[in-house]
Amino acid sequence: MTELPEELETERLRLRRHRPSDAGEITHLLDDWEVVRWLSDVPFPYRFADAEDWIRTAEKRWIAGREYQFVATLADSGAVIGHMGLAIATNGRVGSFGYWFGRRYWGQGFATEAAQAVIAFGFLDLRLERIQAAYHPDNGPSGHVLVKAGLMTDGIKTIEFKALGQAVPCPLFALSRQDYLKIYAA
């Protein structure tokens, strides 16, 4: 495999590897119940130490080739606005896609823009065969992001939501490499 890009650019965003200096901005954005309630593996309240641990873990997993996590920043100012990433299955062929954005950045198309870039990274750089994502069924906007990014409904997956303290049957969406190439390489 060729060297992987550590940064992805879109029209309005720059997605890059996390840095220790991002911990404060990540903490500020994630210490918000309206954001965390939709996320499966994020504690609430969210503390600075949680962000520091996440950044260290993301770096280790990147180096190991197990996850490729990007902090989403505004291209013009560099402000951290959210997160987008892929966790790679042990067979190395399937990526599980996840994301969050600070509440003040909702409804502006940032998640869809970042999703398209990370999905392209997954298929074109990582050579994945499938990318999948699930979302809390009450979070309709997240489902819209997945549809706009080209993923299609693919069943139900039960997910434990840490902050909610419960398991929830969630819609699962997926996109195959073959379908991606049909859609985007045309």
Side-chain angles (χ1 to χ4, degrees):
M1 186 183 302
T2 60
E3 189 170 327
L4 296 173
E6 296 185 6
E7 207 171 275
L8 308 174
E9 291 187 26
T10 70
E11 183 180 332
R12 300 178 297 161
L13 300 174
R14 185 170 150 228
L15 296 116
R16 60 169 172 74
R17 287 173 77 167
H18 292 76
R19 300 176 185 148
S21 60
D22 296 328
E25 289 178 276
I26 289 170
T27 302
H28 175 73
L29 294 171
L30 278 179
D31 194 30
D32 180 343
W33 176 247
E34 290 304 314
V35 175
V36 172
R37 67 187 258 182
W38 306 118
L39 304 175
S40 62
D41 201 31
V42 177
F44 187 80
Y46 195 82
R47 303 290 183 227
F48 187 80
D50 297 320
E52 290 178 314
D53 288 345
W54 166 251
I55 291 167
R56 280 191 298 273
T57 299
E59 181 64 17
K60 288 176 189 172
R61 290 177 179 168
W62 183 294
I63 291 167
R66 293 178 31 220
E67 289 184 13
Y68 299 92
Q69 305 292 344
F70 297 91
V71 65
T73 67
L74 294 175
D76 58 358
S77 68
V80 172
I81 66 169
H83 166 85
M84 187 76 55
L86 279 170
I88 310 304
T90 55
N91 67 10
R93 300 180 64 198
V94 177
S96 293
F97 170 59
Y99 56 93
W100 61 264
F101 282 79
R103 190 173 1 162
R104 73 180 271 207
Y105 302 103
W106 292 357
Q108 299 174 54
F110 291 125
T112 300
E113 192 173 320
Q116 290 168 338
V118 171
I119 289 169
F121 169 79
F123 286 124
L124 302 177
D125 293 303
L126 299 177
R127 313 287 298 163
L128 297 173
E129 291 299 320
R130 173 184 165 96
I131 293 177
Q132 61 190 24
Y135 68 95
H136 192 288
D138 294 336
N139 187 0
S142 189
H144 293 302
V145 167
L146 299 178
V147 170
K148 289 180 199 172
L151 282 76
M152 295 165 261
T153 187
D154 195 51
I156 301 290
K157 179 179 182 179
T158 299
I159 299 173
E160 184 71 33
F161 281 76
K162 184 183 281 186
L164 296 175
Q166 64 181 351
V168 178
C170 298
L172 179 66
F173 279 66
L175 182 62
S176 70
R177 176 181 183 71
Q178 182 180 0
D179 287 339
Y180 173 83
L181 293 174
K182 283 182 198 172
I183 295 167
Y184 291 101

